[in-house]
């Protein structure tokens, strides 16, 4: 090996090492820039949220809260209701031809007694018992 070839090899290895160091430095700088960008986005989101929150009306004060009616809270009403019958006609009715445009209301049943199943039955199918024979 000649001195020139050793010098050329030494210079080539120095170039590779410096390129490797430069690549690591660029990667570090790139990660730092990406981290700063993420932090800037988070700060911007926080500032924007605070600005939007300032424009919202404040929460209601205790005197502005809803109050129950004077006669007390609304009580549950239990009643047995029956649907109104569909009017009979010779042709098929479309919803807009029906009373209430297809939203047929119900009415109170003459008997307010709750429908019950027969004695000895469970009131459901597949209960496992022998049932009523």
């Amino acid at each position: 090996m000649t001195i020139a070839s050793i010098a050329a090899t030494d210079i080539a290895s120095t170039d590779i090492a410096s390129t490797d160091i430069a690549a690591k430095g660029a990667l570090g700088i790139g990660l730092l820039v990406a981290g700063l960008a993420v932090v800037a986005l988070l700060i911007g989101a926080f500032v924007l949220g605070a600005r939007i929150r300032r424009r919202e009306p404040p929460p209601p004060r205790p005197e502005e809260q809803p109050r129950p009616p004077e006669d007390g809270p609304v009580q549950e009403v239990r009643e047995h209701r029956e649907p109104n019958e569909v009017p009979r006609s010779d042709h098929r009715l479309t919803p807009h031809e029906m009373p209430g445009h297809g939203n047929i209301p119900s009415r109170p049943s003459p008997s307010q007694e709750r429908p019950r199943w027969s004695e000895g039955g469970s009131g459901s199918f597949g209960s496992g018992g022998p049932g009523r024979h």
Side-chain angles (χ1 to χ4, degrees):
M1 239 199 226
T2 65
I3 295 181
S5 65
I6 293 174
T9 306
D10 200 22
I11 292 173
S13 65
T14 305
D15 284 343
I16 292 172
S18 63
T19 305
D20 202 23
I21 292 171
K24 287 182 183 177
L27 180 64
I29 291 172
L31 288 175
L32 180 67
V33 169
L36 289 175
V38 168
V39 168
L41 283 173
L42 289 173
I43 290 172
F46 179 77
V47 169
L48 181 65
R51 192 176 295 164
I52 290 172
R53 176 83 179 189
R54 255 187 269 127
R55 281 188 268 158
E56 292 178 353
R61 295 186 307 272
E63 60 270 5
E64 295 173 343
Q65 296 289 334
R67 300 274 182 236
E70 295 294 326
D71 55 346
V74 177
Q75 300 297 319
E76 181 178 344
V77 176
R78 289 183 178 245
E79 64 181 356
H80 184 64
R81 299 188 64 82
E82 293 179 342
N84 286 333
E85 294 297 322
V86 176
R88 304 264 184 220
S89 68
D90 294 336
H91 70 284
R92 177 180 287 182
L93 294 176
T94 59
H96 73 274
E97 295 173 319
M98 295 178 68
H101 298 288
N103 299 321
I104 298 178
S106 60
R107 63 179 188 272
S109 174
S111 166
Q112 289 299 313
E113 192 174 304
R114 285 180 56 197
R116 300 283 185 179
W117 52 85
S118 61
E119 288 295 322
S122 67
S124 65
F125 296 105
S127 64
R132 194 168 159 177
H133 296 286

